Every structure is written in structure tokens, then in C-alpha cells.
Amino acid sequence: MKKSELKKLRTLKATKKMMKIAANDTIKKELVGTWAYSRVRESYKYGLYMRCQTLNGILKVAFFLAEHMRIGAALPAYELFINKETGEFLTYDRKRDRWLTAKLDMIPWPEYVGYSEKKWINPEGFRTIKRYLGVSRGGYNGILEYQLKVRADELKQRHKRETDPWDMDMEQTPELPKDWDRWVSKVGIPDNYIFYRYDRKGVTEGYCTYCEKEVPIAHPKHNKQGTCPCCRHKITYKSEGKAAGVVRSDRVYMYLMQRCEDGVMIRGFEGERLYRKEDYRNEECHFTEVRRVILDREGYELRAYSWGTYKYVETRWIRTELCNRSKWTYYYYYYSRTYEGRVYGRTLPDLAKGELRKTGLVEMTAMVKRIDPEKYLAEWRRVPELERLAKAGLVSLARDLMYGRCSAKECFTNRLFGDLKKLLGIDSQKLARLRRCNGGISFLKWLQYEKMTGKLLPDHVISWFCQEGIGPEELTFISDRMSMVQIYNYVRRQMKENKMESSKVLTTWSDYLAMADRFHMDTQDAIIYRVRKLRKRHDELVERSHSKSLAIKAGEILKKYPHVEQIYESIRDIYEYSDKKYSVVSPRCIEDVLREGENLHHCVGSSDRYWERIERKESYVLFLRHSNAPEKAYYTLEIEPDGTVRQKRTMYDRQGADIEEAKKFLKKWQKEVSKRISSEEKQLARNSHSLREQEFAEMREKQLIINTGELAGRLLVDVLTEDLMEAA
């Protein structure tokens, strides 16, 4: 419909009868709302008046507002144009001179239109609307009924453009195999039971749900696991008297892979078996198809569909992301961790020769009872080497890769190699061991460690480490002094004697050695590092150190910077100085520096750069204290060998107003230090000055800015320059 042509159609004005009815209508007023907020709401008997005519094949409906008509306005507020042939409708807002595509229920009517009792239209107009639109009602409701149908049809067409390709995929779905129902009951749902009737004299027979007959049993117990003496399947004993009204098997996944036009369709089902009390011989097997995935013939594309609600309109097959199971049933989505299930086997040999021959999926399915084919194929597209692992029989390694327990980078040392041994970074013998032991990524890492070190380990030792989740990297703290077999024996003995888990033993052992280093014990001596009573010796060192965490950290620092404490011992007489108000104190041990950083909440103990400077005698960390409280942290100083103060910082790396008074003392201290230092300290000071200037120049070049705290936004070099107190 052309808007310019619609405007040319005759204007429908309010008739005299309509004007009279509107003038005689009375305004109804009522108080609405709550006691806290209330208002007066107005309404009429007829809040809206309508006239209609068919002009040039188009239905024109004029809408008049009661408030306008009561003051004599005969022109409509809105004009609606409907073309039934094309299904189009447009509304013209005369007051605002604009066109609307909204339905009647979405037009901005005055509030009273909705609260008024009726909408007026003469009988002839009522019939015209009903006849022209072909709807069940006339008037306002008939127009709205028609508009809703038009919108629904438009929405359906939009949806159809999206769903038609999906439906074409679903039309490829093959028929279920003839023995599918029986396979589901006997194989797909693996839970089986033996029902028996309790007897004081003893129970000798029970009904096996797999055999579907009475079988001999002895000493059954309700809910106890067992094996059927006839079919040899695992079963659960169920006493008729104790069993619930309905015995349900676990709900499980099952998969059927079939050839379709585009390639292979993987169909996912979920199902369960029910046994009703007193009628357990007649099982009820229920299964539902909830997932379909199509793999094209070339193996390049996977298209996944799930059964669910589409646009809150209908339940149907919906295209979804690969391995996105959120549209599966509520039960599975919230209570299952994996989507593995049994796979129907009779279609596999033919697919293995064709569409699935390059995937390794059929080989993987043959080696495991349960698998998620969709997950396997999704990972195979991302990591093609998965096929080689499956065909080589490396099931656990393939599953670790499938479920993200390791990455391709961790698994494969060099993906450019074509040979599987080189790909995994091991030799033929180790590959055979990996296959024989059904090892995963943990086992492979131990074999790679073997090849790297040239030290062979028994399979049972590696298997135990894998079972406990222990990798070679977790034993580096002791592997330079003990073989892995010795570590294996030692950890197991400590686990048994102290009733500890392996991870706890390793943590205790590592902490003990770190604290032993701190106390300058010879941790290279077997009597120390392979202590008989580990837990007892660990607790003794904890008590001795007063703070386990600081002692362990101090031990780690001493390993990297072994001369720090000796240096502090040698410089104490040079730099310690006091007067009546202030004192400069030298740390006695590494813990003093760590504790200073914790107390004042700055980085002096946690940053390696300070320890590096102390180790090479570039600068030292000292403490400024009040003389009457020498143990209480006040300011931390970083000084150069000649007494130059690089930094002086208190709580949260700040400086208070009191630093100005403290500076007077520091100048006195610098004069005293200048009398004490030797030629060696003077040379160290010249080196320190040179290194500091280089560092400041680099900071200026890089324009390093402070990002946090009171000094945020300032150049770091400017702050450090201002803080500097050069020695005379």
C-alpha cells in the first residue's frame, strides 16, 4: 500500500449520532491505588468510537476518542488501512502526522480507552469488518484478531527461513534398527536385578531381569551387588518386601550411528527401565531421542541438533552448538558429569570402512564400554592426532585429551613428526609400556621424564605416582638427592606411619627441608633429608622458627642469596646508630626483613630486587626506629654503602609529616657513617651511585608511572629523586 494513495481516500468523520452519544456519555471517576499512593481514574461507557468503509478494495477504519468528540471534534484521531489481499495494515496518527505499523493493542491510546466498558461501532460497520477480514468477530476485537493472525504468519515465515535447513537435515534420519528395542533393554541400559522373596529357611531362587527366568542364588542381601550365576552379568539383589513401589534403573545415554545422505548421523538417546512391585517380570523400558549430530562425508563439518522448545512457540529439533548439552533434559543437565553411553555395534563395521575410517572413533568404541561420540569427533577435528592415539590403543591418553585433562601441547612434544613415538617424545619400548599399562597423560609424562634422565622406573611405581596425582615436577625439591624409587618407598612409609595422604607427606617434607635450610642444617646429608620421623621433625622446626611461613620463605631466599645474613653480620657495626629519639637498626636475619614488610605493608621483603642488591652489596635495607620502642616498625630505609638514603618509607609505602624531623637525625647518622666506612665501602658506594644513575635514566626513558596509592599518576623516577638523601 502506498501511503500517498491512502491519504487521498475519503476522510470518515464522526456522524451526528456518534457525536450525540459521546456528548451524553458521563465520566466515571474512581479512586485507585494504595493508601500510600492513590489517584483518580476516569472512564466512559464508550471510550473509543469507530467508523469503517471499504474504499478501492481497502478497508478503512476511523477511530475517534471520546474526549475529542465531547468538545465537538469530528475528525478521527487514528485511521487504520487494511489490504486483505496482501495482508498489510497501516495506521495513520493524524495529530502527530506519522504512520504506525503497530497492532491496535500497541497503539498509544489514552488510559481511559482501556478502562471504558465498550468500544462503539454501528451494526453495519461491525458486519463489514467481520465479512471483509473473514474473522469470527467484528469491530475492534475482529480487527485485533486479524492483526494477530497476520503477525503470527509473518513470524512463522521468518522462523521457517531458519528452520527449513534444519528440517532438511532431519529428513535424512534413517529408520531405527529392527533389534533396537531389545538392544536398549539388554545392552544400552546396563543395570540388571535379581528379585527374590525373603524366606526364613533361606532363599535359593530369584528372578534375573537379564535372563528373564528363575536362577539359583545363595545368601542374597537387599541392594547388595553380585553376579548372576547363569548370564554372568552384574546384578543388584532386590527383596520384594523391601523394594520400593517402582524400581528404576539409572537413566543412561545410548548412541546409534547410522549412514545418512550427507554422511553419518549420530543419534543420542536417554533411557531407563522400570519394575513395578508385584509385577517385576514385566519390565517397562523407556527411551527418548534427545540429540542428533551429522558428520559430513569429508569429515570437515559437524552439525548438532537437540530436541527442545523453539522460540517459546513449539517443541522441535533445534540447531545448537557442538557439545552444548544445555537443551538436554533437566535430569541429565544437572546431575550427570559426562554424556558417555553404550554405542550400538552392528552399524559400526560398515562405517569403519567408509565415513569413519579416518576418525579412529570405531576403534575407540571397540576398546571402551561407554563413550561420547560427539565429544570425540569435536576434539578430533581440533586435534587430528586423536585418531592415531585411538588406533594405537592408547585409550586413557585419548580420553585425557578428549576431556581437557591435558592439552595437545602437553601431550605431543613435536607435532611435525609423523612417527607416533617421536610425536609423544618416547621410544618403542616406552610406547609399548604406555599401551600395556593403559596410561594417560600422567603416565606419559613419567615416560618422557625417563627418556630425558635416562633413569628407568618400574611400571608399578609410575602407576602409583599417577594414581596419587604426583608428577616429576612435584618432586624436584628432593629428586637431586634420591631416586624416584626411593622417594616412592619413603612417601608410602610415611603415609602408613603418620596416616597421611601422599600430597600431605610431600608438603610436609618440602616445608621441613626449607626450614632445615633456614637453620643451616646440612640438607645434603641423608640423615637430614631422609629423616625417619618426618612429621615429628617438621613440627620441631615449626616450634623453633615461631613462624613456619617466614622460616620457609627465608629458607627459599637463602638458597638464591646465600650471603645475605653474613653481609648483615659484617655491616652491623658500621651502620647502627642511636640518639635519645631515633635509632638506625640493622636486621639480624632474613625473617626481620620479611616481618618488616608485613608490618608496614610494603614490598621490601617480597621483591627480589632488594635481595639482589644486598647480595652484591649495592644497597642495604635498614630500619629507622624510635629509641624508646626499638622493636616497633617505624620507617624502612634503603641505603647505599656510603650512607646515601635511597628510600625511606612507612606504612603502605607512604611518608608522613614526621619524616622532616627524622631527616635531621638521618643527616647526623650520615656524618657518623662517613667516619666509620673504609676504602672498600667507598668503592662500593661509587659502584652503587653509578648503578643508581643508570636505573634512573632507564626509568626516564620508559616514562614509568606509579599507578596506585597517593602518588598515582606521578613519574616513578621523580618520586625516587625527591626521596634521595645523598651522603656528604
Side-chain angles (χ1 to χ4, degrees):
M1 294 187 295
K2 292 184 179 181
K3 296 175 182 176
S4 58
E5 296 296 325
L6 297 178
K7 279 190 173 183
K8 294 177 183 179
L9 296 178
R10 184 167 69 88
T11 301
L12 301 179
K13 295 183 179 180
T15 63
K16 291 180 180 180
K17 180 180 179 181
M18 293 167 62
M19 297 293 286
K20 184 177 179 181
I21 294 173
N24 293 332
D25 202 352
T26 56
I27 301 176
K28 297 180 181 178
K29 297 183 179 181
E30 57 180 328
L31 192 66
V32 296
T34 63
W35 65 271
Y37 173 75
S38 60
R39 63 188 179 88
V40 175
R41 186 173 68 192
E42 297 180 349
S43 63
Y44 300 89
K45 181 178 181 181
Y46 299 110
L48 187 67
Y49 293 79
M50 301 166 57
R51 275 194 69 191
C52 69
Q53 279 189 4
T54 305
L55 304 171
N56 298 336
I58 292 175
L59 178 65
K60 180 174 182 178
V61 185
F63 295 91
F64 306 86
L65 296 176
E67 59 181 321
H68 295 170
M69 297 172 70
R70 289 169 64 83
I71 60 175
L75 290 175
Y78 296 94
E79 294 176 325
L80 171 64
F81 304 90
I82 301 177
N83 187 337
K84 186 183 177 183
E85 298 298 322
T86 61
E88 296 175 278
F89 56 84
L90 281 171
T91 303
Y92 179 59
D93 183 346
R94 294 182 64 90
K95 181 179 179 181
R96 299 173 183 83
D97 189 24
R98 63 177 181 174
W99 291 90
L100 307 174
T101 59
K103 306 189 304 299
L104 288 186
D105 57 343
M106 301 303 292
I107 288 176
W109 306 110
E111 184 185 35
Y112 65 79
V113 172
Y115 291 111
S116 297
E117 295 178 25
K118 300 177 182 179
K119 298 173 179 61
W120 189 92
I121 187 172
N122 63 27
E124 184 181 350
F126 186 90
R127 290 191 294 270
T128 299
I129 290 172
K130 182 177 180 180
R131 183 172 57 252
Y132 180 86
L133 298 179
V135 291
S136 59
R137 295 173 289 182
Y140 180 94
N141 291 329
I143 295 171
L144 185 57
E145 179 186 338
Y146 173 78
Q147 289 180 328
L148 288 170
K149 184 177 181 302
V150 169
R151 286 287 187 259
D153 290 342
E154 290 174 353
L155 185 62
K156 190 173 182 180
Q157 288 302 315
R158 285 202 301 272
H159 290 172
K160 194 170 174 59
R161 285 193 292 272
E162 183 179 28
T163 60
D164 278 353
W166 304 352
D167 293 336
M168 289 177 65
D169 271 350
M170 295 301 97
E171 287 172 4
Q172 304 178 45
T173 307
E175 294 290 329
L176 290 172
K178 293 181 180 178
D179 63 343
W180 174 252
D181 288 3
R182 183 163 180 80
W183 180 88
V184 169
S185 176
K186 297 299 183 184
V187 181
I189 304 173
D191 292 347
N192 288 288
Y193 307 91
I194 288 182
F195 289 93
Y196 65 93
R197 190 182 298 275
Y198 174 74
D199 191 332
R200 288 184 179 180
K201 297 179 181 179
V203 179
T204 58
E205 277 191 338
Y207 179 81
C208 174
T209 58
Y210 188 89
C211 301
E212 298 182 4
K213 64 178 182 180
E214 296 288 335
V215 297
I217 57 175
H219 310 296
K221 188 176 180 181
H222 184 65
N223 285 338
K224 181 183 177 183
Q225 305 291 316
T227 304
C228 174
C230 294
C231 64
R232 311 307 301 171
H233 280 82
K234 290 183 179 180
I235 56 90
T236 302
Y237 289 105
K238 291 289 182 180
S239 169
E240 289 184 35
K242 294 182 179 180
V246 177
V247 175
R248 296 176 179 269
S249 69
D250 288 339
R251 294 178 66 88
V252 295
Y253 300 108
M254 299 160 284
Y255 294 95
L256 170 64
M257 291 190 276
Q258 296 172 291
R259 183 175 283 111
C260 63
E261 291 178 17
D262 286 353
V264 178
M265 181 177 287
I266 301 165
R267 304 171 66 179
F269 297 79
E270 56 179 354
E272 64 178 353
R273 272 190 268 113
L274 306 179
Y275 301 90
R276 301 190 184 277
K277 197 168 185 178
E278 307 300 338
D279 192 25
Y280 52 79
R281 294 175 183 270
N282 295 318
E283 70 176 26
E284 298 176 23
C285 185
H286 303 287
F287 60 87
T288 308
E289 189 171 2
V290 290
R291 191 88 173 167
R292 289 176 182 172
V293 179
I294 296 175
L295 172 70
D296 68 7
R297 294 187 184 281
E298 288 73 27
Y300 296 126
E301 184 186 11
L302 280 167
R303 303 191 296 275
Y305 297 88
S306 62
W307 184 259
T309 303
Y310 176 68
K311 306 284 188 183
Y312 301 98
V313 173
E314 60 176 331
T315 303
R316 54 161 294 124
W317 288 105
I318 306 166
R319 182 74 181 268
T320 186
E321 294 179 11
L322 204 60
C323 297
N324 176 9
R325 310 299 180 95
S326 61
K327 293 188 182 297
W328 286 47
T329 62
Y330 177 93
Y331 181 90
Y332 278 107
Y333 183 57
Y334 283 91
Y335 295 98
S336 284
R337 294 191 177 186
T338 66
Y339 297 89
E340 294 184 336
R342 299 287 183 94
V343 179
Y344 182 81
R346 292 193 175 182
T347 59
L348 297 182
D350 190 37
L351 295 175
K353 298 174 185 177
E355 291 83 354
L356 298 180
R357 69 185 182 280
K358 295 181 180 179
T359 64
L361 176 57
V362 175
E363 290 79 3
M364 189 75 174
T365 302
M367 291 182 286
V368 296
K369 286 186 176 180
R370 301 167 68 247
I371 192 173
D372 180 353
E374 180 184 347
K375 179 68 176 173
Y376 178 92
L377 290 174
E379 195 64 25
W380 165 73
R381 288 177 64 220
R382 193 178 67 84
V383 186
E385 293 89 348
L386 193 60
E387 174 200 358
R388 303 182 64 189
L389 298 181
K391 291 183 176 179
L394 303 176
V395 177
S396 292
L397 188 56
R399 287 168 69 92
D400 285 348
L401 202 56
M402 273 178 62
Y403 292 110
R405 292 190 279 267
C406 67
S407 65
K409 187 176 181 180
E410 290 178 281
C411 188
F412 308 121
T413 57
N414 193 333
R415 299 177 75 175
L416 298 177
F417 287 121
D419 185 72
L420 182 59
K421 301 184 294 293
K422 293 180 179 179
L423 185 67
L424 296 174
I426 55 179
D427 55 32
S428 300
Q429 186 182 15
K430 289 179 174 53
L431 180 61
R433 289 172 64 193
L434 184 64
R435 185 185 296 111
R436 184 177 67 250
C437 297
N438 192 25
I441 185 62
S442 300
F443 204 100
L444 175 61
K445 285 183 177 179
W446 277 107
L447 294 178
Q448 291 170 344
Y449 172 82
E450 269 192 1
K451 186 177 179 184
M452 180 181 66
T453 60
K455 299 175 181 178
L456 296 178
L457 295 174
D459 288 346
H460 74 277
V461 172
I462 296 179
S463 297
W464 185 84
F465 280 139
C466 295
Q467 177 187 329
E468 296 295 319
I470 301 171
E473 66 281 354
E474 296 174 70
L475 304 177
T476 52
F477 72 92
I478 191 62
S479 58
D480 59 332
R481 284 156 281 185
M482 293 174 66
S483 71
M484 290 300 173
V485 175
Q486 289 174 321
I487 295 172
Y488 160 78
N489 290 324
Y490 181 80
V491 172
R492 293 183 72 215
R493 185 169 66 249
Q494 294 298 327
M495 290 172 65
K496 183 178 180 181
E497 291 178 0
N498 296 300
K499 295 180 174 54
M500 298 164 66
E501 295 179 354
S502 60
S503 59
K504 184 66 175 175
V505 171
L506 291 178
T507 302
T508 303
W509 197 4
S510 175
D511 291 349
Y512 161 75
L513 291 177
M515 288 187 287
D517 281 326
R518 172 68 195 93
F519 294 112
H520 305 288
M521 298 166 65
D522 185 4
T523 54
Q524 296 299 315
D525 189 332
I527 293 177
I528 302 298
Y529 68 71
R530 195 163 54 184
V531 64
R532 181 76 177 87
K533 297 182 178 180
L534 175 63
R535 192 168 192 170
K536 183 178 180 181
R537 299 293 172 256
H538 168 273
D539 293 345
E540 288 173 354
L541 290 185
V542 170
E543 187 175 351
R544 180 179 171 186
S545 63
H546 303 294
S547 172
K548 176 182 173 182
S549 60
L550 287 183
I552 291 171
K553 194 167 184 180
E556 293 170 351
I557 291 170
L558 270 176
K559 276 188 177 180
K560 295 174 70 175
Y561 311 104
H563 304 104
V564 168
E565 291 191 342
Q566 296 172 14
I567 291 170
Y568 271 123
E569 183 68 28
S570 66
I571 67 172
R572 186 171 301 126
D573 293 339
I574 300 174
Y575 299 107
E576 286 198 333
Y577 175 75
S578 299
D579 68 5
K580 292 182 179 179
K581 190 165 186 180
Y582 297 104
S583 299
V584 171
V585 179
S586 173
R588 265 51 183 172
C589 58
I590 289 175
E591 284 90 336
D592 288 349
V593 180
L594 296 174
R595 204 172 286 112
E596 180 85 355
E598 287 184 358
N599 291 338
L600 295 182
H601 304 285
H602 53 49
C603 65
V604 72
S606 58
S607 176
D608 281 353
R609 69 175 179 270
Y610 294 108
W611 302 114
E612 289 170 0
R613 291 171 183 170
I614 296 168
E615 184 75 10
R616 62 175 180 254
K617 298 185 179 181
E618 178 190 340
S619 68
Y620 311 117
V621 172
L622 301 179
F623 308 145
L624 177 64
R625 300 280 195 257
H626 284 293
S627 295
N628 59 0
E631 299 300 324
K632 185 178 180 181
Y634 180 44
Y635 270 85
T636 307
L637 308 175
E638 183 188 10
I639 64 113
E640 294 178 3
D642 64 349
T644 293
V645 180
R646 285 193 181 182
Q647 295 187 77
K648 41 194 179 301
R649 295 284 156 183
T650 187
M651 194 74 71
Y652 298 106
D653 246 351
R654 296 171 179 163
Q655 285 185 350
D658 55 352
I659 195 62
E660 295 303 321
E661 184 179 354
K663 280 182 183 180
K664 298 175 184 177
F665 165 78
L666 290 175
K667 287 178 181 178
K668 284 171 55 180
W669 168 79
Q670 285 177 328
K671 289 179 181 179
E672 184 64 29
V673 168
S674 67
K675 300 174 185 177
R676 300 179 183 180
I677 58 175
S678 64
S679 58
E680 181 184 351
E681 275 79 34
K682 290 177 182 178
Q683 181 58 47
L684 290 171
R686 285 191 287 271
N687 296 337
S688 179
H689 180 274
S690 177
L691 291 170
R692 184 220 315 154
E693 291 299 318
Q694 290 177 20
E695 187 177 354
F696 281 13
E698 289 176 5
M699 289 181 185
R700 285 192 185 93
E701 184 179 347
K702 294 179 180 177
Q703 293 289 292
L704 297 178
I705 295 175
I706 299 173
N707 295 316
T708 59
E710 295 177 346
L711 302 173
R714 294 193 62 190
L715 288 175
L716 177 59
V717 67
D718 291 344
V719 174
L720 294 177
T721 302
E722 291 173 7
D723 207 12
L724 192 67
M725 284 182 62
E726 293 269 12

